[in-house]
Amino acid sequence: MVWLNWVIVGYLIVINVVAVCLTVHDKRAAVKRKRRVPEKKLMLVTALGGGVGMYLTMYAVRHKTKHLKFVIGVPVITILETAAVITLICLYH
């Protein structure tokens, strides 16, 4: 079971790095008026486990902080996912 924990931790690190990169890329594209990352893609990455990276980066680069979908949605998704993971860990340990 220990290897599964490492797989989960590795996955979360990778998906959060992806979330950070997408958020920074979208911010730069917005400033340069270039092609943007679709909001659906940003929310999908959040839903796949990248909420912490997305949330921290949103406020670090001040991007999407006026959109309620992100200001409320990202923390809610992250909290729900965290609760689900903790519940699963408690059930199987």
Side-chain angles (χ1 to χ4, degrees):
M1 243 352 183
V2 174
W3 64 272
L4 183 58
N5 293 340
W6 285 108
V7 170
I8 293 169
V9 168
Y11 170 77
L12 289 173
I13 289 170
V14 169
I15 196 70
N16 278 281
V17 168
V18 169
V20 168
C21 291
L22 281 176
T23 307
V24 169
H25 174 74
D26 191 45
K27 173 65 177 188
R28 287 181 180 162
V31 169
K32 294 179 180 181
R33 301 203 184 274
K34 301 278 183 169
R35 187 177 176 106
R36 305 279 303 277
V37 177
E39 287 186 353
K40 284 183 180 183
K41 185 178 281 188
L42 294 171
M43 292 305 280
L44 176 64
V45 170
T46 299
L48 291 174
V52 173
M54 180 75 67
Y55 185 78
L56 294 175
T57 307
M58 277 174 41
Y59 286 96
V61 298
R62 296 167 71 189
H63 187 57
K64 300 285 187 190
T65 56
K66 293 183 180 180
H67 298 264
L68 284 180
K69 181 193 299 187
F70 288 88
V71 172
I72 294 171
V74 171
V76 167
I77 290 169
T78 304
I79 290 167
L80 292 174
E81 285 180 342
T82 303
V85 168
I86 290 170
T87 302
L88 287 172
I89 289 170
C90 290
L91 286 175
Y92 290 106
H93 277 85

